[in-house]
Amino acid sequence: MTANHSADPSAATATIRHVEIGCRNLARSQEFYTGLLGFTETARESGVSWLDAGPAWIKLVEIGEGDLGGWAPDDLQCGMRHVGMKVGDVDAQAARLREAGVEFTTHPKDAHGNVRITFFTDPDGTLLELVEGAVRHDETYSPELAAEDLAAHHNRPREAGPVFDHIAVTAPDLQEALDFYVRTLGAKVIGKLIRSDDPRGFVITNLRLGDAVLELFTFRRETAPSPWSAGQSRHGLRAVGLGVAEARGAVGAMTAAGAGAVLRPGPEPLLIDPHGLPLTITTR
């Protein structure tokens, strides 16, 4: 990847507006995300709760009976992997959540990129991450965006609770993914983390879409296809909501760039990107 990746002048520049999470019981999940994580409910519809999480929203959708729809705890599986949130002190936040009975998959630890992280799950198994610190990339392509992250870290109080930071997504090929996210969606490449200690050839490329980050995972090892399918009674990560200036043009650009046909028409069209990521499109 070279440093001259920039949005195509004809691209429909998009922002990460929300992440959609399916749940078995809306009241239980609403209490988890507001009572424990501190997000604020801004609207409630029939079976849907919208939560203000800072740079983006969480859209909770009550599904009732269902499961994680084939999602596996292996980042070699394409599609959405987790939602990441920044905090002032990972260890303090983890201790608070653990006392409340939250299940952790990875306890607080120092991670590549000069950050401290921990992973846990919501009541239905959605994988969530807390991150403390500003990412120090091995290769930086936007010093300005990296500086913004560092300034936000320095200004974040130690007692600060979670705010939305990123959505992690695995794609089978880095260059193809960049062609879609950068040239078609107008994402800006912040930098790259190269996990030389990982025999799978793990690379994390961080992209900015609006005020939030898409954390793009790619590997030298072969990846597994995304298990997502339309109409599935799926708990956990269901879709990424994108805000665009003009929905019809954005959908046209995405389908021309290899995204699947529109699966759900209407005010929030749903389509699949070339790597199996479900996207809903909303006019800003």
Side-chain angles (χ1 to χ4, degrees):
M1 185 181 75
T2 59
N4 64 352
H5 278 287
S6 60
D8 187 292
S10 63
T13 301
T15 64
I16 293 176
R17 180 176 179 265
H18 70 266
V19 61
E20 180 178 314
I21 297 175
C23 57
R24 182 174 289 103
N25 183 287
L26 186 62
R28 179 180 67 171
S29 291
Q30 198 266 358
E31 174 58 28
F32 178 88
Y33 284 96
T34 60
L36 285 180
L37 298 187
F39 301 149
T40 302
E41 185 178 54
T42 59
R44 184 179 292 203
E45 308 159 12
S46 178
V48 176
S49 176
W50 288 92
L51 309 178
D52 184 349
W57 284 274
I58 302 290
K59 180 183 180 182
L60 297 176
V61 179
E62 189 169 57
I63 303 300
E65 292 305 313
D67 54 33
L68 291 177
W71 183 92
D74 183 350
D75 288 333
L76 288 171
Q77 184 186 65
C78 291
M80 287 184 285
R81 308 313 307 154
H82 68 262
V83 173
M85 298 161 282
K86 286 290 184 73
V87 296
D89 185 332
V90 156
D91 293 83
Q93 294 294 326
R96 180 180 64 82
L97 295 176
R98 196 177 297 110
E99 288 179 2
V102 173
E103 182 177 344
F104 280 74
T105 62
T106 303
H107 294 293
K109 67 175 185 177
D110 294 330
H112 190 88
N114 198 40
V115 292
R116 190 161 176 80
I117 64 174
T118 189
F119 286 92
F120 60 102
T121 57
D122 79 357
D124 295 292
T126 309
L127 187 62
L128 305 171
E129 179 187 23
L130 298 181
V131 181
E132 174 190 337
V135 177
R136 183 183 299 165
H137 294 93
D138 298 309
E139 297 178 6
T140 300
Y141 295 92
S142 176
E144 296 81 7
L145 292 179
E148 283 185 20
D149 187 34
L150 183 60
H153 166 60
H154 288 319
N155 292 329
R156 186 175 295 115
R158 290 288 292 175
E159 65 275 13
V163 294
F164 193 105
D165 179 68
H166 67 266
I167 299 170
V169 173
T170 294
D173 182 85
L174 177 57
Q175 190 57 59
E176 289 181 358
L178 291 174
D179 285 343
F180 182 79
Y181 296 123
V182 175
R183 293 186 59 80
T184 304
L185 298 187
K188 298 177 181 178
V189 182
I190 308 170
K192 182 189 292 185
L193 294 169
I194 303 170
R195 295 291 305 275
S196 57
D197 60 328
D198 193 318
R200 301 174 300 174
F202 186 19
V203 174
I204 301 173
T205 305
N206 285 314
L207 312 174
R208 270 279 290 272
L209 282 160
D211 293 326
V213 172
L214 190 146
E215 192 177 68
L216 178 62
F217 292 175
T218 52
F219 300 85
R220 284 197 306 270
R221 185 173 295 180
E222 184 177 359
T223 55
S226 169
W228 193 95
S229 63
Q232 196 172 42
S233 296
R234 181 184 183 128
H235 296 152
L237 301 169
R238 290 175 54 83
V240 175
L242 297 180
V244 298
E246 198 277 308
R248 182 177 298 178
V251 170
M254 291 181 211
T255 52
V262 177
L263 300 177
R264 183 183 67 203
E268 291 190 353
L270 171 68
L271 70 163
I272 307 298
D273 83 353
H275 320 293
L277 176 65
L279 303 169
T280 58
I281 313 302
T282 304
T283 303
R284 290 196 299 270

